[in-house]
Amino acid sequence: MLASSTATVLVGTAKPEIAKAFYGETLGLKFLHEDQFAAVFETKNLKIRVSKTPAVVPAPYAILAFDVSDMEKSVDALAAKGIVFARFGFLPQDAKGIWSAPDGTKVAWFHDPDLNMLSLVQPA
């Protein structure tokens, strides 16, 4: 029934101005519009609605993944903008925080200003 629908990811923020700068300037997403409820951004194939809320309870897993073609270049570019990549003691990660899955997929995780976990993924 919904397979042909477009979809929008919903991300919560209790820091709307900081989140707007993070998603627009730091991550470089295209800003579409803002109203009293949310700021909306766009990637090549997805809309991201950063919804204003009094409090955010971050999930203990990534809520949004960005596919990239060059993981090292993408990590370096975001690190240059102040992004700190998460480290997990149970995963072997390289010096930049990149984990290589058994199939060759590469993943790096980071947080937005509300501690929502996001990730970069370079498919194998």
Side-chain angles (χ1 to χ4, degrees):
M1 180 170 110
L2 298 177
S4 63
S5 297
T6 58
T8 300
V9 171
L10 304 176
V11 177
T13 183
K15 305 171 185 175
E17 291 307 312
I18 296 170
K20 183 179 174 185
F22 177 82
Y23 283 91
E25 297 167 24
T26 304
L27 299 186
L29 303 183
K30 180 181 176 185
F31 174 74
L32 294 180
H33 60 85
E34 181 177 21
D35 60 28
Q36 67 191 49
F37 304 107
V40 180
F41 298 87
E42 184 176 57
T43 69
K44 177 181 173 182
N45 64 347
L46 182 68
K47 287 184 182 173
I48 301 168
R49 182 177 171 87
V50 183
S51 301
K52 300 171 187 176
T53 183
V56 174
V57 178
Y61 47 81
I63 61 165
L64 180 57
F66 297 95
D67 284 355
V68 297
S69 59
D70 186 330
M71 179 62 76
E72 287 77 13
K73 184 177 177 181
S74 299
V75 166
D76 289 345
L78 289 176
K81 291 186 171 197
I83 298 292
V84 176
F85 287 85
R87 301 281 180 172
F88 302 100
F90 57 89
L91 289 175
Q93 293 168 273
D94 69 13
K96 294 181 181 186
I98 300 167
W99 173 63
S100 293
D103 72 352
T105 297
K106 295 179 180 181
V107 184
W109 296 268
F110 60 100
H111 294 92
D112 76 0
D114 291 276
L115 300 179
N116 293 303
M117 192 181 309
L118 312 178
S119 64
L120 302 178
V121 177
Q122 180 182 326

